Amino acid sequence: GKWTVLPDGRMETTYTIKPTATWHDGQPITAQDFVFAYQVRIAPDVPAHNAVVEKRLSQVVAVDDHTLFLEWREPYIYAGYTHLPDFSPMPRHKLETQFLQDRNGFADGPQWREDFIGSGPYKVASWEPGVEIVFRAHDGFALGKAKIDEVRVRFIGDANAIVANLLGGSIDVAYS
């Protein structure tokens, strides 16, 4: 995008969104999705997990469907490299009505779990809470389809079971 530092210390950045980028449900990702996400994260009655970038912004404008303009309150070294989890978009087409009409339902709804619609390289294929989440590669990811078609995340609470699964070859990686 375009990055301008103004004499008073503020900055402006302009981003172009790839027209081929889509949400996991196939809808196009637009600049309005970023504006909506900004409005959600600065709303005082909505818990925001991460709003580091949003707090540095004074203005977020959708110039058109594929052009996003950001005005920064102050210099920010990562302004030209803003990426997940910072300043991530939210699917306005799916979430805006609930955000405007039911803030409690919005903050704690299934759209953050089993009905999640994202923009990343993998989409939720299935989710069995406490057991496993299966992710499948998303064809409409802005940077192209991931090379690994499916990723399974299993939740195993017993250290011995983790070691047995690793040694038996039924899992490839374990994190504690």
Side-chain angles (χ1 to χ4, degrees), residues 90-106:
M90 291 183 183
R92 191 179 118 226
H93 69 278
K94 174 127 173 126
L95 303 177
E96 185 175 45
T97 300
Q98 187 173 26
F99 173 71
L100 295 173
Q101 296 176 359
D102 178 16
R103 295 288 175 94
N104 289 333
F106 177 81

PDB file of all heavy atoms in Angstrom, residues 90-106:
ATOM      1  N   MET A  90     -13.551  -8.576   9.982  1.00  0.00           N
ATOM      2  CA  MET A  90     -14.658  -9.405  10.457  1.00  0.00           C
ATOM      3  C   MET A  90     -15.707  -9.441   9.356  1.00  0.00           C
ATOM      4  O   MET A  90     -15.944  -8.421   8.702  1.00  0.00           O
ATOM      5  CB  MET A  90     -15.278  -8.830  11.725  1.00  0.00           C
ATOM      6  CG  MET A  90     -14.408  -8.915  12.935  1.00  0.00           C
ATOM      7  SD  MET A  90     -15.299  -8.276  14.375  1.00  0.00           S
ATOM      8  CE  MET A  90     -14.030  -8.398  15.606  1.00  0.00           C
ATOM      9  N   PRO A  91     -16.352 -10.592   9.146  1.00  0.00           N
ATOM     10  CA  PRO A  91     -17.331 -10.704   8.058  1.00  0.00           C
ATOM     11  C   PRO A  91     -18.603  -9.894   8.356  1.00  0.00           C
ATOM     12  O   PRO A  91     -19.524 -10.367   9.004  1.00  0.00           O
ATOM     13  CB  PRO A  91     -17.614 -12.201   7.984  1.00  0.00           C
ATOM     14  CG  PRO A  91     -17.300 -12.719   9.348  1.00  0.00           C
ATOM     15  CD  PRO A  91     -16.198 -11.846   9.880  1.00  0.00           C
ATOM     16  N   ARG A  92     -18.610  -8.683   7.864  1.00  0.00           N
ATOM     17  CA  ARG A  92     -19.728  -7.762   8.101  1.00  0.00           C
ATOM     18  C   ARG A  92     -21.061  -8.363   7.655  1.00  0.00           C
ATOM     19  O   ARG A  92     -22.070  -8.229   8.338  1.00  0.00           O
ATOM     20  CB  ARG A  92     -19.449  -6.450   7.366  1.00  0.00           C
ATOM     21  CG  ARG A  92     -20.393  -5.353   7.763  1.00  0.00           C
ATOM     22  CD  ARG A  92     -20.063  -4.071   7.029  1.00  0.00           C
ATOM     23  NE  ARG A  92     -21.233  -3.770   6.225  1.00  0.00           N
ATOM     24  CZ  ARG A  92     -21.232  -3.413   4.962  1.00  0.00           C
ATOM     25  NH1 ARG A  92     -20.117  -3.278   4.318  1.00  0.00           N
ATOM     26  NH2 ARG A  92     -22.337  -3.182   4.337  1.00  0.00           N
ATOM     27  N   HIS A  93     -21.046  -9.051   6.525  1.00  0.00           N
ATOM     28  CA  HIS A  93     -22.283  -9.638   5.992  1.00  0.00           C
ATOM     29  C   HIS A  93     -22.899 -10.642   6.964  1.00  0.00           C
ATOM     30  O   HIS A  93     -24.093 -10.864   6.936  1.00  0.00           O
ATOM     31  CB  HIS A  93     -22.027 -10.286   4.628  1.00  0.00           C
ATOM     32  CG  HIS A  93     -21.187 -11.521   4.689  1.00  0.00           C
ATOM     33  ND1 HIS A  93     -19.807 -11.484   4.763  1.00  0.00           N
ATOM     34  CD2 HIS A  93     -21.525 -12.834   4.691  1.00  0.00           C
ATOM     35  CE1 HIS A  93     -19.339 -12.714   4.806  1.00  0.00           C
ATOM     36  NE2 HIS A  93     -20.362 -13.562   4.765  1.00  0.00           N
ATOM     37  N   LYS A  94     -22.096 -11.238   7.815  1.00  0.00           N
ATOM     38  CA  LYS A  94     -22.578 -12.250   8.754  1.00  0.00           C
ATOM     39  C   LYS A  94     -22.828 -11.686  10.154  1.00  0.00           C
ATOM     40  O   LYS A  94     -23.714 -12.154  10.857  1.00  0.00           O
ATOM     41  CB  LYS A  94     -21.548 -13.380   8.825  1.00  0.00           C
ATOM     42  CG  LYS A  94     -21.839 -14.422   9.870  1.00  0.00           C
ATOM     43  CD  LYS A  94     -21.831 -15.780   9.294  1.00  0.00           C
ATOM     44  CE  LYS A  94     -21.964 -16.809  10.399  1.00  0.00           C
ATOM     45  NZ  LYS A  94     -23.024 -17.718  10.186  1.00  0.00           N
ATOM     46  N   LEU A  95     -22.054 -10.666  10.568  1.00  0.00           N
ATOM     47  CA  LEU A  95     -22.053 -10.239  11.968  1.00  0.00           C
ATOM     48  C   LEU A  95     -22.685  -8.883  12.265  1.00  0.00           C
ATOM     49  O   LEU A  95     -23.044  -8.614  13.417  1.00  0.00           O
ATOM     50  CB  LEU A  95     -20.614 -10.212  12.491  1.00  0.00           C
ATOM     51  CG  LEU A  95     -19.817 -11.505  12.407  1.00  0.00           C
ATOM     52  CD1 LEU A  95     -18.399 -11.289  12.903  1.00  0.00           C
ATOM     53  CD2 LEU A  95     -20.506 -12.605  13.179  1.00  0.00           C
ATOM     54  N   GLU A  96     -22.817  -8.026  11.272  1.00  0.00           N
ATOM     55  CA  GLU A  96     -23.229  -6.648  11.555  1.00  0.00           C
ATOM     56  C   GLU A  96     -24.611  -6.537  12.198  1.00  0.00           C
ATOM     57  O   GLU A  96     -24.790  -5.788  13.161  1.00  0.00           O
ATOM     58  CB  GLU A  96     -23.188  -5.805  10.277  1.00  0.00           C
ATOM     59  CG  GLU A  96     -23.487  -4.345  10.544  1.00  0.00           C
ATOM     60  CD  GLU A  96     -23.337  -3.498   9.307  1.00  0.00           C
ATOM     61  OE1 GLU A  96     -23.821  -3.905   8.229  1.00  0.00           O
ATOM     62  OE2 GLU A  96     -22.734  -2.413   9.420  1.00  0.00           O
ATOM     63  N   THR A  97     -25.582  -7.263  11.714  1.00  0.00           N
ATOM     64  CA  THR A  97     -26.937  -7.172  12.268  1.00  0.00           C
ATOM     65  C   THR A  97     -26.933  -7.545  13.744  1.00  0.00           C
ATOM     66  O   THR A  97     -27.509  -6.835  14.572  1.00  0.00           O
ATOM     67  CB  THR A  97     -27.911  -8.067  11.484  1.00  0.00           C
ATOM     68  OG1 THR A  97     -27.925  -7.631  10.120  1.00  0.00           O
ATOM     69  CG2 THR A  97     -29.310  -7.993  12.062  1.00  0.00           C
ATOM     70  N   GLN A  98     -26.280  -8.644  14.092  1.00  0.00           N
ATOM     71  CA  GLN A  98     -26.238  -9.044  15.494  1.00  0.00           C
ATOM     72  C   GLN A  98     -25.465  -8.033  16.334  1.00  0.00           C
ATOM     73  O   GLN A  98     -25.854  -7.726  17.459  1.00  0.00           O
ATOM     74  CB  GLN A  98     -25.622 -10.427  15.649  1.00  0.00           C
ATOM     75  CG  GLN A  98     -25.732 -10.936  17.084  1.00  0.00           C
ATOM     76  CD  GLN A  98     -25.297 -12.365  17.236  1.00  0.00           C
ATOM     77  OE1 GLN A  98     -24.489 -12.858  16.465  1.00  0.00           O
ATOM     78  NE2 GLN A  98     -25.821 -13.026  18.251  1.00  0.00           N
ATOM     79  N   PHE A  99     -24.373  -7.490  15.815  1.00  0.00           N
ATOM     80  CA  PHE A  99     -23.606  -6.477  16.536  1.00  0.00           C
ATOM     81  C   PHE A  99     -24.481  -5.269  16.861  1.00  0.00           C
ATOM     82  O   PHE A  99     -24.445  -4.746  17.970  1.00  0.00           O
ATOM     83  CB  PHE A  99     -22.387  -6.054  15.712  1.00  0.00           C
ATOM     84  CG  PHE A  99     -21.639  -4.894  16.300  1.00  0.00           C
ATOM     85  CD1 PHE A  99     -20.890  -5.050  17.455  1.00  0.00           C
ATOM     86  CD2 PHE A  99     -21.684  -3.644  15.697  1.00  0.00           C
ATOM     87  CE1 PHE A  99     -20.191  -3.970  17.997  1.00  0.00           C
ATOM     88  CE2 PHE A  99     -20.989  -2.575  16.230  1.00  0.00           C
ATOM     89  CZ  PHE A  99     -20.243  -2.733  17.381  1.00  0.00           C
ATOM     90  N   LEU A 100     -25.286  -4.846  15.903  1.00  0.00           N
ATOM     91  CA  LEU A 100     -26.130  -3.665  16.102  1.00  0.00           C
ATOM     92  C   LEU A 100     -27.340  -3.937  17.001  1.00  0.00           C
ATOM     93  O   LEU A 100     -27.801  -3.052  17.704  1.00  0.00           O
ATOM     94  CB  LEU A 100     -26.594  -3.121  14.748  1.00  0.00           C
ATOM     95  CG  LEU A 100     -25.487  -2.588  13.836  1.00  0.00           C
ATOM     96  CD1 LEU A 100     -26.046  -2.237  12.468  1.00  0.00           C
ATOM     97  CD2 LEU A 100     -24.790  -1.392  14.473  1.00  0.00           C
ATOM     98  N   GLN A 101     -27.846  -5.172  16.987  1.00  0.00           N
ATOM     99  CA  GLN A 101     -29.100  -5.466  17.687  1.00  0.00           C
ATOM    100  C   GLN A 101     -28.944  -6.214  19.009  1.00  0.00           C
ATOM    101  O   GLN A 101     -29.814  -6.112  19.870  1.00  0.00           O
ATOM    102  CB  GLN A 101     -30.022  -6.271  16.768  1.00  0.00           C
ATOM    103  CG  GLN A 101     -30.447  -5.489  15.551  1.00  0.00           C
ATOM    104  CD  GLN A 101     -31.279  -6.314  14.586  1.00  0.00           C
ATOM    105  OE1 GLN A 101     -31.536  -7.497  14.795  1.00  0.00           O
ATOM    106  NE2 GLN A 101     -31.710  -5.686  13.504  1.00  0.00           N
ATOM    107  N   ASP A 102     -27.865  -6.990  19.177  1.00  0.00           N
ATOM    108  CA  ASP A 102     -27.743  -7.832  20.372  1.00  0.00           C
ATOM    109  C   ASP A 102     -26.278  -7.972  20.757  1.00  0.00           C
ATOM    110  O   ASP A 102     -25.622  -8.956  20.415  1.00  0.00           O
ATOM    111  CB  ASP A 102     -28.374  -9.203  20.102  1.00  0.00           C
ATOM    112  CG  ASP A 102     -28.249 -10.167  21.273  1.00  0.00           C
ATOM    113  OD1 ASP A 102     -27.946  -9.721  22.403  1.00  0.00           O
ATOM    114  OD2 ASP A 102     -28.448 -11.370  21.049  1.00  0.00           O
ATOM    115  N   ARG A 103     -25.764  -7.003  21.496  1.00  0.00           N
ATOM    116  CA  ARG A 103     -24.333  -7.010  21.846  1.00  0.00           C
ATOM    117  C   ARG A 103     -23.944  -8.215  22.693  1.00  0.00           C
ATOM    118  O   ARG A 103     -22.864  -8.766  22.525  1.00  0.00           O
ATOM    119  CB  ARG A 103     -23.945  -5.718  22.570  1.00  0.00           C
ATOM    120  CG  ARG A 103     -24.054  -4.471  21.726  1.00  0.00           C
ATOM    121  CD  ARG A 103     -22.934  -4.417  20.675  1.00  0.00           C
ATOM    122  NE  ARG A 103     -23.101  -3.293  19.799  1.00  0.00           N
ATOM    123  CZ  ARG A 103     -22.533  -2.103  19.956  1.00  0.00           C
ATOM    124  NH1 ARG A 103     -21.751  -1.881  20.978  1.00  0.00           N
ATOM    125  NH2 ARG A 103     -22.757  -1.142  19.101  1.00  0.00           N
ATOM    126  N   ASN A 104     -24.808  -8.635  23.627  1.00  0.00           N
ATOM    127  CA  ASN A 104     -24.474  -9.793  24.458  1.00  0.00           C
ATOM    128  C   ASN A 104     -24.383 -11.057  23.613  1.00  0.00           C
ATOM    129  O   ASN A 104     -23.456 -11.850  23.759  1.00  0.00           O
ATOM    130  CB  ASN A 104     -25.494  -9.980  25.579  1.00  0.00           C
ATOM    131  CG  ASN A 104     -25.380  -8.911  26.633  1.00  0.00           C
ATOM    132  OD1 ASN A 104     -24.319  -8.334  26.832  1.00  0.00           O
ATOM    133  ND2 ASN A 104     -26.475  -8.625  27.309  1.00  0.00           N
ATOM    134  N   GLY A 105     -25.346 -11.252  22.727  1.00  0.00           N
ATOM    135  CA  GLY A 105     -25.316 -12.400  21.826  1.00  0.00           C
ATOM    136  C   GLY A 105     -24.130 -12.343  20.876  1.00  0.00           C
ATOM    137  O   GLY A 105     -23.547 -13.355  20.525  1.00  0.00           O
ATOM    138  N   PHE A 106     -23.786 -11.139  20.476  1.00  0.00           N
ATOM    139  CA  PHE A 106     -22.652 -10.953  19.580  1.00  0.00           C
ATOM    140  C   PHE A 106     -21.352 -11.376  20.261  1.00  0.00           C
ATOM    141  O   PHE A 106     -20.544 -12.099  19.688  1.00  0.00           O
ATOM    142  CB  PHE A 106     -22.549  -9.491  19.143  1.00  0.00           C
ATOM    143  CG  PHE A 106     -21.367  -9.204  18.277  1.00  0.00           C
ATOM    144  CD1 PHE A 106     -21.400  -9.495  16.930  1.00  0.00           C
ATOM    145  CD2 PHE A 106     -20.208  -8.662  18.808  1.00  0.00           C
ATOM    146  CE1 PHE A 106     -20.300  -9.247  16.121  1.00  0.00           C
ATOM    147  CE2 PHE A 106     -19.106  -8.412  18.011  1.00  0.00           C
ATOM    148  CZ  PHE A 106     -19.150  -8.705  16.667  1.00  0.00           C
TER     149      PHE A 106
END
